[in-house]
Amino acid sequence: MAIMKTKICPVCGKEFKGLGNICKDGDYCNECEKKVRLVFEEDEEDYLPAAKIRAKLNKYADAIAAYDSVKKPETCPICGEKLPKLMHMRLLDAYICMGCAQKAAALMHTGYGAIGCKCLSEILPLFQRAAVRGGRADASGVFYDADSLRIVYPLIHTLLEVPGEDGYDVAFIDPLDSLSDEDLQAAPALAKQRRAELEAKYGTHKAIFEVDKIKKLYNDSKGHKYYRNEYRIGGRVLMGNITLRDQAVVKRAEGTKELLIRKLGDCREYISDLKELKEGQEGGLFVESSLSFVYPGDILLID
Amino acid sequence: MAKIKSIEKGFCSLCGRALLPNEGYGRLRDGGHICSLCTGKIRVMYPLSLTWDKKGNEVRHDPIEELSPEEAGKALENVIAYTEELRAKYDHHNAAFAVESVTTEKGGFLKPPIIYACGRVIYGCFDPEDKARLLHKGSASDITLTGIKRLEFYGAGVSDCQGTGGNSCALVFSGKNLACEAGDLIVRD
């Protein structure tokens, strides 16, 4: 019978008897299966060759060997909050709270369960990013607030291609993460200079918004577009913060024209429920009036 | 788990944004690139030219590809002043479209013909269901645009686009006793 037949495990090379566990190169032994369950999500290894399974087990060999000796701490090593009895996530070499696990899953663009197959050393750098911490510290420990530097180092919108999934995920490249210490120390002065330049050019206003694109909105019903008198003004906040129901003014040769901002959205065109657009942020202003007098490249003065 | 990677192909020489293939990006003379947003802004100063040769192949001439990064940057700074000059030239209308050729189609039983006015948006933007005015031989007629089609392929089954400054497109409208020919202007207020 096949069950009693001696087989060679393609992962560790040892002989074993029994049904074994499925991988792309055949059945592997239960000893390896205990380790595989720690570093792979459920059934993920079914379609992987033995070489890849072996490589991952070798990568996490130390963490797997020490798995049973890890004790649950009182506080989360990432946020420092008290670690709840049940609502926590077990990593390979640590315990973290559920909130940090969910944040890590969002930052890594993986499922919540995949975080349990990682080590703390892989997750901690995500929380050191300037956008997550709200700023960055230089080598001497001086902390620089990210929001005040976005006027010169705004987040750069990009897209992530996730294999096996249709479409793209929105992501941001943070220039603050790759700045040298000298550039970081010079950044506040550069931000102040930029602010002064904008105020000298456009005057003192609550916010200044540069228009990139104007789009007329529509409802899609059964393949037919029904356009409505609502527009999305896409662009970037050059200075200041914009909140709901702010008044935007555009200067034309024959006079100024006013717009009332009904809704705010971020760089994703379908989002329209933000409360505030911060300095340096790309986003959209939703306006419910005819917008034929605004052009790409225009500057909207918000008060 | 398979590696997740970002799709940007570099950064815009003018504004620093990521160049995303799905949004498109323009090329400059020195081989550098500018993002689709910067291209769209300066397009009104450097209109795209689309023609077809005798075999029906599209011949595309983009003056932005002949610019250096410095020239493109200067164009970006001056684009609004340029647009204001155009507005002053065209009686301060908010958008203007120059008709280069006209095609008509039967509208159906007891319906007026459908007019496809092909040409170039001089400045501003035109969207479907916008109210505009057709200026023909000194007279002005009110029209409602039922569609905006890309010049390469237009017809009832093709989805609409937005007509933006410097780009060629076909404005679709119909109405009783409307006359439209090359040289006319369609404006929006």
Side-chain angles (χ1 to χ4, degrees), chain B residues 23-37:
Chain B
E23 291 175 6
Y25 42 90
R27 202 175 63 234
L28 296 176
R29 192 172 68 209
D30 66 343
H33 295 95
I34 56 173
C35 64
S36 59
L37 296 173

Side-chain angles (χ1 to χ4, degrees), chain A residues 195-206:
Chain A
R195 229 167 245 119
E197 280 170 12
L198 286 171
E199 280 182 1
K201 193 172 180 184
Y202 301 113
T204 308
H205 298 278
K206 184 187 173 197

Side-chain angles (χ1 to χ4, degrees), chain A residues 150-220:
Chain A
R150 289 290 173 223
I151 193 171
V152 283
Y153 295 110
L155 290 173
I156 301 170
H157 161 241
T158 185
L159 295 173
L160 287 182
E161 190 177 38
V162 182
E165 288 187 23
D166 289 331
Y168 302 104
D169 279 352
V170 170
F172 293 93
I173 300 169
D174 193 342
L176 288 178
D177 286 331
S178 53
L179 279 184
S180 65
D181 273 356
E182 290 78 30
D183 288 335
L184 186 62
Q185 284 154 9
L190 206 61
K192 194 176 171 186
Q193 184 190 350
R194 178 79 179 130
R195 229 167 245 119
E197 280 170 12
L198 286 171
E199 280 182 1
K201 193 172 180 184
Y202 301 113
T204 308
H205 298 278
K206 184 187 173 197
I208 299 172
F209 185 85
E210 184 183 21
V211 176
D212 288 332
K213 202 163 74 165
I214 296 149
K215 187 178 173 184
K216 190 171 185 180
L217 301 179
Y218 57 87
N219 298 331
D220 206 319

Side-chain angles (χ1 to χ4, degrees), chain A residues 73-135:
Chain A
E74 292 293 321
T75 56
C76 172
I78 297 176
C79 62
E81 299 286 328
K82 191 175 171 218
L83 207 56
K85 265 190 185 173
L86 296 173
M87 309 294 269
H88 60 261
M89 166 68 83
R90 172 71 209 262
L91 303 179
L92 282 176
D93 57 354
Y95 289 80
I96 60 173
C97 66
M98 204 167 82
C100 289
Q102 283 170 343
K103 269 189 209 163
L107 289 169
M108 294 185 91
H109 298 269
T110 64
Y112 181 75
I115 298 300
C117 305
K118 305 278 179 199
C119 288
L120 184 64
S121 55
E122 290 175 296
I123 291 177
L124 262 179
L126 301 171
F127 289 85
Q128 302 299 322
R129 290 185 197 165
V132 179
R133 282 185 70 198

Side-chain angles (χ1 to χ4, degrees), chain A residues 45-95:
Chain A
E45 78 285 0
D46 286 0
Y47 308 101
L48 290 176
K52 279 201 172 169
I53 298 173
R54 195 182 319 119
K56 201 161 184 183
L57 290 179
N58 289 340
K59 183 183 170 190
Y60 293 112
D62 292 339
I64 293 169
Y67 190 83
D68 291 328
S69 61
V70 175
K71 287 196 172 58
K72 183 166 161 278
E74 292 293 321
T75 56
C76 172
I78 297 176
C79 62
E81 299 286 328
K82 191 175 171 218
L83 207 56
K85 265 190 185 173
L86 296 173
M87 309 294 269
H88 60 261
M89 166 68 83
R90 172 71 209 262
L91 303 179
L92 282 176
D93 57 354
Y95 289 80

Side-chain angles (χ1 to χ4, degrees), chain B residues 86-132:
Chain B
L86 286 175
R87 278 173 58 93
K89 186 179 169 189
Y90 289 95
D91 291 332
H92 294 285
H93 293 296
N94 288 334
F97 178 90
V99 179
E100 291 167 5
S101 66
V102 179
T103 310
T104 54
E105 198 179 80
K106 276 190 182 173
F109 183 63
L110 294 180
K111 287 184 182 171
I114 300 171
I115 300 173
Y116 292 84
C118 305
R120 185 171 59 83
V121 180
I122 302 170
Y123 65 94
C125 71
F126 291 86
D127 287 295
E129 295 178 30
D130 278 348
K131 302 243 183 288

